[in-house]
Amino acid sequence: METYVYAFVVGGVLSFIGQLLLVKWSFVRTMTILILLGMVIEVVGWYTSFQSLAHAGVETTLVHMGASCIQAVKTGDFTNVVFFLSFPIAVAWVTAFVCKPRGRME
């Protein structure tokens, strides 16, 4: 039961940080900051303990994507990175194909 609580708390804190960043900066800059945060946490060596504590609370965020990129560079296995980069592109393409744009994003 406490695994769920840790996942909920850590995921909520990361979402809260993302929302605070969105108040000041654009969506792209916020995404970049969260990915870089994951890269820094992985380089420092804290990500494995962070991941073992929070499990899905961190594995479903952009922080995990940044950590996966660094892990791929360390091990030479780029399959996770290809998935993490190709899946959002595919979803964006299908969304753009199916939905009618209504205006310009700013």
Side-chain angles (χ1 to χ4, degrees), residues 72-91:
V73 169
K74 286 180 181 177
T75 61
D77 182 22
F78 289 93
T79 54
N80 285 339
V81 176
V82 169
F83 173 75
F84 278 122
L85 294 178
S86 63
F87 183 72
I89 292 170
V91 169

Side-chain angles (χ1 to χ4, degrees), residues 5-105:
V5 173
Y6 288 138
F8 180 76
V9 169
V10 170
V13 167
L14 289 173
S15 298
F16 180 70
I17 290 170
Q19 287 295 319
L20 288 177
L21 292 173
L22 280 173
V23 169
K24 181 152 176 94
W25 291 314
S26 68
F27 180 68
V28 174
R29 189 174 287 177
T30 301
M31 284 177 45
T32 305
I33 289 170
L34 290 174
I35 290 172
L36 288 174
L37 177 68
M39 289 179 168
V40 168
I41 290 172
E42 174 62 32
V43 167
V44 172
W46 297 343
Y47 186 74
T48 53
S49 60
F50 191 54
Q51 186 179 19
S52 66
L53 173 73
H55 297 287
V58 72
E59 291 175 358
T60 58
T61 63
L62 290 170
V63 174
H64 181 69
M65 182 176 170
S68 293
C69 289
I70 296 297
Q71 289 171 357
V73 169
K74 286 180 181 177
T75 61
D77 182 22
F78 289 93
T79 54
N80 285 339
V81 176
V82 169
F83 173 75
F84 278 122
L85 294 178
S86 63
F87 183 72
I89 292 170
V91 169
W93 184 82
V94 169
T95 303
F97 183 73
V98 171
C99 299
K100 181 179 176 183
R102 298 187 180 227
R104 188 169 172 229
M105 281 182 47

